[in-house]
Amino acid sequence: MTLETSGGFTGLRRHATLDTDLDDDLRTLLAALSAAEPAATPATSAQPRYRLTVHHPTGDQTTELTEPNIPTALRPLLTELLRRAAPS
């Protein structure tokens, strides 16, 4: 799984990778990611934007999200990925 960030007040782009096994918690998070809908309003440059990509054997699943429209179920995963993120 990879995370790319952009936007926000600093405009800093960051990238993180997390090697995951499909345990029950991760399956729940991926279901929330699949159900996530794009933001109803366009993001401004001041709003952080996140591109989450889950790498499946059958192909990648990419979802783009913006603050404050992050599903609650995805917050722990996003927090962990942001903790690991490095400038790109």
Side-chain angles (χ1 to χ4, degrees):
M1 174 179 304
T2 58
L3 169 72
E4 298 171 53
T5 68
S6 61
F9 292 110
T10 64
L12 180 67
R13 291 184 176 272
R14 297 186 300 169
H15 182 266
T17 301
L18 181 63
D19 187 16
T20 58
D21 290 325
L22 287 180
D23 62 18
D24 289 338
D25 290 338
L26 185 57
R27 281 191 177 96
T28 300
L29 290 172
L30 293 179
L33 182 60
S34 295
E37 296 182 17
T41 57
T44 66
S45 61
Q47 292 175 310
R49 291 183 297 281
Y50 308 102
R51 173 182 263 178
L52 285 168
T53 303
V54 179
H55 307 283
H56 299 285
T58 57
D60 292 347
Q61 171 192 357
T62 300
T63 303
E64 293 189 19
L65 304 162
T66 58
E67 289 290 355
N69 302 312
I70 308 298
T72 303
L74 289 179
R75 288 279 176 196
L77 175 61
L78 187 61
T79 299
E80 178 61 22
L81 285 165
L82 288 171
R83 187 181 71 73
R84 296 169 181 249
S88 54

